[in-house]
């Protein structure tokens, strides 16, 4: 019997490959960062060829370094940064421009035009999404309108669009496809019919010939070219990173929720087999489809804060107050509190429930006694404060009070941040033994498809608590802190003109 599932986790700042064994434990991993491109304020791009080079590099490296043969890999699962938009030439396989990253805000004014035309309700009803530059549709429209010749070539059927999952699968297999969870993030996909929506394609003037085929998240979708690994391996799991992390945290029943602390913060709650519209400007999104039958599709509510781990990177690369991201906890805990400092990490605007693309990062309450440790502490607290706004909206939408919040992602290893998160949410925060839940979710989706794991019950039994953080903050202190946070948020809003 084959021994491993290979998960490819293509993130915003790095690509990783992780081999998982039957117990759902990481056996070996490799990781490689790639360039972030900032052509002008509010614009964020990646070179899609660099993404592929980094992902192929770690794929080969993890097998080589661990001594695992490709024949010992039962299947490949793919998970990816979502919404990031690639447009490439079908004949040459070359991108026609840099990929536009999910954080990119160049289309904020165009989205406001659509809101002014009364299109926001139509888009939310069909896609479950708030009309925002975050999603792929307006990024794709921008490429078609601004890359010389792109629109004419698209209309002749010469170009292909995809999110990062589609790009990686195309490079590995030649197939042009995506899964329901990634399609649901494009703002072109009807989450009720689970098909591309002709009304939205017409509204945004996007030729249907650009679009990938949509397949279930779990199921053999393609096979790798033989020259990639020496043999052909099935690609059997595909999911956007946050949906994959929710699956990896085995939040498989309505009311279960997780928060991932990656480049941004992403809180998702399982709401069952039917999409639940949000009254509070959260997103309703496809979680995963475990087969072609629509009854095997789970839906999620999602609230995202755009900046989490990126705030730590900024302290390292922008301010230079730490040399390595791992140093931030020691610096932050070297002072008893933030000294009255409040940090709103709105570097790329504010996400849910505000959806303010013109908000900007704000550090308020600076005094002569403020030092770098206070800034570090305030930055970590700011990451946690954002999630209070998201959770309160989510509980109101779902009518469910959360009993615990499962956490993962790089910054979830920071004990100070996790304790403060439990305190300020007034909800227990639970960190599992395996925190690589994004990659694990992709592995589980692939493994279920090929019989590596027999059932959802088998993978649920593998989830184990690593550490549980109980709320310990007094109620009056919590309310005082949240009031100060709200004042700081108001000062950060609508700043960029």
């Amino acid at each position: 019997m084959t021994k491993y599932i290979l998960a490819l986790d293509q993130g915003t700042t790095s690509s990783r490959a992780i081999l998982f064994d039957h117990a759902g434990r990481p056996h070996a991993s490799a990781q490689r960062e790639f360039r972030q491109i900032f052509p002008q304020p509010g614009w964020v791009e990646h070179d899609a060829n660099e993404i592929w080079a980094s992902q192929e590099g770690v794929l080969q490296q993890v097998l080589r370094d661990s001594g695992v043969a490709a024949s010992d890999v039962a299947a490949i699962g793919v998970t990816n940064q979502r919404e990031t938009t690639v447009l490439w030439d079908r004949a040459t396989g070359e991108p026609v421009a840099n990929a536009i990253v999910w954080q990119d805000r160049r289309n904020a004014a165009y989205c406001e035009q659509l809101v002014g035309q009364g299109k926001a309700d139509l888009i939310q009803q069909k896609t479950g999404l708030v009309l925002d530059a975050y999603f792929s549709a307006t990024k794709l429209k921008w490429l078609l309108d601004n890359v010389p010749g792109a629109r004419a070539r698209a209309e002749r059927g010469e170009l292909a669009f995809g999110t990062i999952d589609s790009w990686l699968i195309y490079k590995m297999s030649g197939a042009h496809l995506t899964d329901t969870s990634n399609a649901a993030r494009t703002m072109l996909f009807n989450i009720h019919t689970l098909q591309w929506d002709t009304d939205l394609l017409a509204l945004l003037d996007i030729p249907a010939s650009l679009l990938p085929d949509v397949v279930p998240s779990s199921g053999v979708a393609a096979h790798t070219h033989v020259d990639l690994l020496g043999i052909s391996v099935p690609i059997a799991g595909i999911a956007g990173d946050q949906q994959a992390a929710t699956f990896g945290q085995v939040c498989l029943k309505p009311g279960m929720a997780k928060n991932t602390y990656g480049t941004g913060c992403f809180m998702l709650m399982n709401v069952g087999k039917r999409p639940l519209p949000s009254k509070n400007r959260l997103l309703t999104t496809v979680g995963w489809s475990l087969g072609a039958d629509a009854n095997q599709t789970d839906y999620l509510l999602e609230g995202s804060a755009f900046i989490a781990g990126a705030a730590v990177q900024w302290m390292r690369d922008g301010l230079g107050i730490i040399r390595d991201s791992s140093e931030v906890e020691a610096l932050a805990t070297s002072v008893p509190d933030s000294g009255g400092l409040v940090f709103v990490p709105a570097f790329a605007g504010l996400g849910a429930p505000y959806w303010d693309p013109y908000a900007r990062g704000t550090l308020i309450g600076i005094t002569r006694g403020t030092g770098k440790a206070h800034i570090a502490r305030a930055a970590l607290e700011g990451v946690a404060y954002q999630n209070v706004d998201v959770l309160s909206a989510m509980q109101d939408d779902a009518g469910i009070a959360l009993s615990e919040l499962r956490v993962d992602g790089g910054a979830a290893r920071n004990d100070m941040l996790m304790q403060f998160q439990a305190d300020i949410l007034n909800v227990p925060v639970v960190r599992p033994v395996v925190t690589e839940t994004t990659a694990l979710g992709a592995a589980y989706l692939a493994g279920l498809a090929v019989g590596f794991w027999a059932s959802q019950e088998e993978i649920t039994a593998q989830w184990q608590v690593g550490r549980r953080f109980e709320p310990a903050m007094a109620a009056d202190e919590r309310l005082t802190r949240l009031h100060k946070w709200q004042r700081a948020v108001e000062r950060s809003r609508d700043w960029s003109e």
Side-chain angles (χ1 to χ4, degrees), residues 89-428:
D89 184 307
R90 288 184 185 275
T92 66
E94 283 297 308
V96 301
N98 279 339
I100 302 181
V101 179
W102 59 273
Q103 297 160 313
D104 188 283
R105 309 304 300 168
R106 74 187 66 182
N107 289 316
Y110 175 64
C111 289
E112 285 187 1
Q113 281 178 34
L114 290 175
V115 171
Q117 293 166 18
K119 303 300 183 186
D121 285 349
L122 172 76
I123 285 170
Q124 184 168 24
Q125 286 161 17
K126 287 174 174 286
T127 69
L129 306 177
V130 172
L131 206 174
D132 190 80
Y134 178 26
F135 305 106
S136 312
T138 63
K139 302 179 195 300
L140 175 56
K141 179 176 167 56
W142 190 94
L143 288 169
L144 294 175
D145 290 343
N146 290 277
V147 174
R151 183 167 289 284
R153 295 184 65 206
E155 286 166 356
R156 290 197 299 268
E158 296 172 12
L159 302 183
F161 150 74
T163 43
I164 295 298
D165 57 310
S166 298
W167 171 242
L168 295 180
I169 291 164
Y170 172 79
K171 297 299 281 186
M172 287 192 288
S173 72
H176 185 212
L177 51 86
T178 189
D179 87 298
T180 52
S181 75
N182 278 294
R185 310 300 296 192
T186 61
M187 217 165 74
L188 297 170
F189 187 72
N190 189 314
I191 62 170
H192 306 278
T193 64
L194 301 181
Q195 293 177 334
W196 298 116
D197 193 282
T198 52
D199 293 341
L200 298 179
L201 292 173
L203 173 65
L204 293 163
D205 195 18
I206 290 173
S209 62
L210 285 168
L211 302 175
D213 293 332
V214 182
V215 300
S217 314
S218 181
V220 176
H223 289 80
T224 61
H225 294 304
V226 172
D227 60 2
L228 182 69
L229 292 168
I231 62 169
S232 186
V233 177
I235 301 167
I238 313 164
D241 52 10
Q242 300 315 317
Q243 291 99 322
T246 310
F247 200 81
Q249 288 274 34
V250 292
C251 293
L252 305 181
K253 294 179 180 174
M256 298 180 75
K258 71 89 199 172
N259 199 19
T260 295
Y261 300 77
T263 301
C265 252
F266 299 89
M267 190 181 296
L268 291 90
M269 177 186 282
N270 189 318
V271 294
K273 302 298 182 190
R274 284 192 295 278
L276 177 71
S278 173
K279 308 183 296 285
N280 294 294
R281 309 195 79 207
L282 299 181
L283 309 179
T284 305
T285 199
V286 173
W288 46 82
S289 300
L290 299 182
D293 179 355
N295 293 325
Q296 296 192 72
T297 296
D298 279 50
Y299 291 88
L300 309 173
L301 275 178
E302 173 177 335
S304 48
F306 298 145
I307 301 296
V312 178
Q313 286 181 321
W314 171 72
M315 287 188 279
R316 180 191 70 190
D317 302 336
L319 293 186
I321 63 174
I322 52 174
R323 288 189 306 273
D324 187 83
S325 299
S326 61
E327 297 171 8
V328 72
E329 184 174 6
L331 180 60
T333 54
S334 69
V335 288
D337 55 48
S338 67
L341 209 58
V342 181
F343 179 88
V344 183
F347 298 155
L350 284 168
Y354 302 101
W355 296 104
D356 181 352
Y358 303 109
R360 286 296 176 265
T362 304
L363 192 57
I364 198 162
I366 300 170
T367 67
R368 187 65 184 80
T370 300
K372 62 184 182 181
H374 298 103
I375 294 172
R377 191 173 186 106
L380 292 180
E381 290 179 354
V383 169
Y385 279 126
Q386 299 174 105
N387 297 314
V388 179
D389 302 329
V390 174
L391 181 62
S392 59
M394 193 169 279
Q395 292 185 139
D396 182 56
D397 274 342
I400 299 169
L402 204 62
S403 59
E404 65 178 31
L405 182 67
R406 296 183 171 188
V407 296
D408 53 69
R413 294 192 285 270
N414 185 313
D415 289 350
M416 181 237 130
L417 174 58
M418 292 302 99
Q419 184 57 54
F420 186 77
Q421 187 71 87
D423 288 342
I424 207 68
L425 285 178
N426 198 30
V427 168

Side-chain angles (χ1 to χ4, degrees), residues 6 8 10-11 14-16 32-35 46-60 76 78 81 86 93-95 99 164-174 224-225 227-229 235:
L6 174 57
L8 305 183
Q10 204 300 298
S14 69
S15 298
R16 297 188 306 158
R32 192 172 297 177
E33 290 193 1
F34 57 90
R35 271 192 315 152
H46 290 155
D47 181 330
N49 280 329
E50 285 184 21
I51 286 178
W52 167 240
S54 65
Q55 189 66 77
E56 184 191 19
V58 292
L59 182 161
Q60 303 286 1
I76 293 172
V78 175
Q81 55 164 315
V86 188
E94 283 297 308
I164 295 298
D165 57 310
S166 298
W167 171 242
L168 295 180
I169 291 164
Y170 172 79
K171 297 299 281 186
M172 287 192 288
S173 72
T224 61
H225 294 304
D227 60 2
L228 182 69
L229 292 168
I235 301 167

